[in-house]
Amino acid sequence: AAFKSVKDEKAALETEAKSLIEYAERLEAQSSNLAASSAQLEASKLDFDKQRQEYAMEAAHIKAAKLQAEENQRQVNLVKQGLDHERVSIAQERRTLAQERLDASKAVDASREAQRKLAEAVRGWVTQGVPIPFSVDLAPGGDLQL
């Protein structure tokens, strides 16, 4: 009975040893799987960090471009204001010049009318024999000379 129990004990120990070896192999396989998963997770984390940095740089570039666009728009608005001011000034100058031309035209007309009246008066004096102290060209558009 003792022999059988040693044999049984040996068989039980061998069975237990086989179970422990299989358990150790399963643990080793699980450990390898966990290591591979951990490596994949670390690679994914590095990739994520790289993408996050790229997005942060892209966001910084976009922000800088937005600020530049806002500055450009501000400059355009300043130029527009300057041009609008120039347009108003030019329009005012044109109105002033048009008024000056009109005034000059009226002055020329008034001068011609005065010259015509003077020429009529001088013709009348000459035909009446009144001496005049200047020479007169009695043709239309003629000159008076002292």
Side-chain angles (χ1 to χ4, degrees):
F3 179 69
K4 190 172 186 187
S5 83
V6 171
K7 234 182 182 186
D8 287 342
E9 203 174 310
K10 183 180 174 186
L13 286 174
E14 284 178 1
T15 302
E16 191 177 334
K18 273 186 183 179
S19 290
L20 287 174
I21 289 172
E22 287 173 3
Y23 181 69
E25 287 173 351
R26 282 195 309 269
L27 282 178
E28 191 175 325
Q30 283 180 348
S31 177
S32 293
N33 287 342
L34 286 174
S37 293
S38 177
Q40 279 182 325
L41 183 62
E42 187 62 30
S44 294
K45 182 185 177 295
L46 290 173
D47 188 46
F48 175 76
D49 288 345
K50 180 181 174 189
Q51 285 180 354
R52 187 173 47 82
Q53 287 176 345
E54 288 173 359
Y55 291 146
M57 286 175 52
E58 189 174 332
H61 289 311
I62 289 170
K63 184 177 181 180
K66 180 181 178 244
L67 290 173
Q68 183 63 47
E70 287 171 355
E71 176 61 20
N72 290 348
Q73 185 62 45
R74 190 183 71 76
Q75 292 293 331
V76 164
N77 288 340
L78 287 175
V79 169
K80 276 183 174 180
Q81 286 174 353
L83 289 175
D84 288 345
H85 179 70
E86 283 296 317
R87 267 190 230 115
V88 168
S89 294
I90 289 171
Q92 181 60 41
E93 192 173 323
R94 283 182 178 165
R95 281 191 294 274
T96 301
L97 289 173
Q99 186 61 46
E100 288 175 0
R101 276 194 301 268
L102 181 63
D103 292 346
S105 176
K106 287 178 182 179
V108 166
D109 289 345
S111 173
R112 285 184 183 146
E113 181 61 22
Q115 193 174 21
R116 186 190 62 75
K117 286 180 181 179
L118 178 61
E120 279 180 18
V122 169
R123 276 191 203 103
W125 295 335
V126 167
T127 56
Q128 293 173 8
V130 175
I132 52 173
F134 47 86
S135 67
V136 178
D137 178 1
L138 293 177
D143 289 337
L144 301 177
Q145 296 177 355
L146 299 176

